[in-house]
Amino acid sequence: MSNSPFNLTGKVAIVTGANTGIGQGIAVALAQAGADVALVARRDPAETVSMIEAAGRKSAVIMADLATTEPCERIIAETKAALGSVDILVNNAGIIRRNDALDFTEDDWDAVMDTNLKVLFFLTQAAGREMAANGGGSVINVASMLTFQGGIRVASYTASKSGVGGLTKLLANEWAGKDINVNAIAPGYIATNNTAALQADEDRNRQILERIPVGRWGDPSDLGGAAVFLASDAAKYVHGHILAVDGGWLAR
Ligand code: NAP
């Protein structure tokens, strides 16, 4: 692996929402490819720490609530202090609120837009300043099928993830010349806490499975290869791309 363009040895990644689900899957994959990883979480990511240790890499735990922009600068500073640099940022933390558009509340709008879009932007700004000063880096935003589609009963989630797609392209335009790659991964239906309600709903679960060409829900580990690719030198000429990892969902 040492000469492989996918090798991340010597790089430091920040992964938000790294205690569980897709964030855990991506953090472990980056570590397996050689990166040390700062795990940003509001609950103890002990399980992810052990998985990174098992991969033979270092981790740092940064406790932060990403409901507001308050911890953004601290996350960058603590990562540098603990692991030495900031080369990769994976903006994974996100929430969803479900309600009919006619009944959707301002609270459900603000909570989702703040974490999924506003804090994502300002954390990326803080990381981008660091990367620009140090010769480059990679930003990977976790988007969604609802970056491309409308969805139903998830107004703020669709707005936020459509916004993530737009920001990915805007930041790529502004930062490609600074050797910072900004791209996104759009997961399909992945079995995590975020989709527990859908998995438990027999009708919705059947409808979803019938539409996924590969015929199964994704696992968080299914996102790992895409993240390693976008974080690596193999993707040096890839800018502003939104890579679907969806078992074929969008091809239907
Ligand atoms: P998940 O298991 O619920 O994980 C979400 C992560 O974000 C958790 O670590 C959660 O922390 C963290 N988080 C949420 N709000 C936070 C806050 N205020 N401060 C700090 N951390 C916060 O769901 P997931 O499916 O892995 O979701 C990860 C990302 O993938 C999200 O952006 C989601 O929108 C996106 N996504 C998921 C799917 C899917 O099918 N699962 C599909 C498309 C996109 P806690 O554990 O403390 O809540």
Side-chain angles (χ1 to χ4, degrees):
M1 183 90 175
S2 60
N3 290 327
S4 160
F6 299 97
N7 188 351
L8 301 181
T9 302
K11 294 191 190 289
V12 172
I14 297 174
V15 180
T16 66
N19 55 303
T20 186
I22 291 171
Q24 181 179 71
I26 288 177
V28 171
L30 295 177
Q32 287 169 341
D36 293 330
V37 190
L39 308 170
V40 180
R42 59 182 171 180
R43 291 187 292 131
D44 184 10
E47 190 181 49
T48 315
V49 168
S50 334
M51 292 163 92
I52 287 174
E53 271 168 19
R57 304 310 318 172
K58 279 193 278 187
S59 64
V61 172
I62 301 177
M63 299 306 292
D65 185 346
L66 300 173
T68 73
T69 57
E70 179 275 326
C72 291
E73 300 284 347
R74 175 172 63 82
I75 290 167
I76 304 306
E78 286 189 18
T79 302
K80 275 175 66 183
L83 299 173
S85 62
V86 176
D87 306 300
I88 299 158
L89 170 66
V90 181
N91 284 308
N92 164 76
I95 55 171
I96 193 164
R97 299 272 175 92
R98 298 176 193 279
N99 205 344
D100 293 339
L102 289 176
D103 299 323
F104 215 83
T105 65
E106 195 171 340
D107 179 58
D108 282 346
W109 180 270
D110 287 344
V112 173
M113 292 297 277
D114 283 355
T115 295
N116 292 14
L117 193 58
K118 181 178 177 180
V119 176
L120 176 147
F121 174 74
F122 284 102
L123 180 58
T124 307
Q125 181 189 65
R129 286 174 177 158
E130 183 62 29
M131 291 172 183
N134 287 302
S138 302
V139 175
I140 301 167
N141 295 322
V142 177
S144 167
M145 293 296 97
L146 301 188
T147 301
F148 308 105
Q149 302 176 313
I152 191 162
R153 305 189 74 247
V154 287
S156 54
Y157 188 81
T158 300
S160 72
K161 293 298 185 178
S162 297
V164 167
L167 274 183
T168 300
K169 290 179 248 185
L170 172 131
L171 291 169
N173 292 338
E174 291 199 21
W175 293 356
K178 301 180 192 305
D179 222 7
I180 301 172
N181 295 71
V182 185
N183 291 289
I185 293 172
Y189 283 83
I190 313 298
T192 66
N193 299 334
N194 174 297
T195 51
L198 285 182
Q199 294 169 69
D201 179 332
E202 231 175 82
D203 284 344
R204 287 288 286 130
N205 190 40
R206 184 182 33 77
Q207 289 163 359
I208 287 166
L209 281 175
E210 278 171 4
R211 222 208 104 143
I212 302 175
V214 77
R216 66 168 176 88
W217 283 75
D219 181 81
S221 62
D222 287 318
L223 284 309
V228 169
F229 165 60
L230 291 175
S232 75
D233 288 348
K236 265 295 152 216
Y237 204 64
V238 180
H239 292 272
H241 185 66
I242 304 169
L243 176 53
V245 182
D246 64 350
W249 174 274
L250 286 179
R252 282 294 285 272

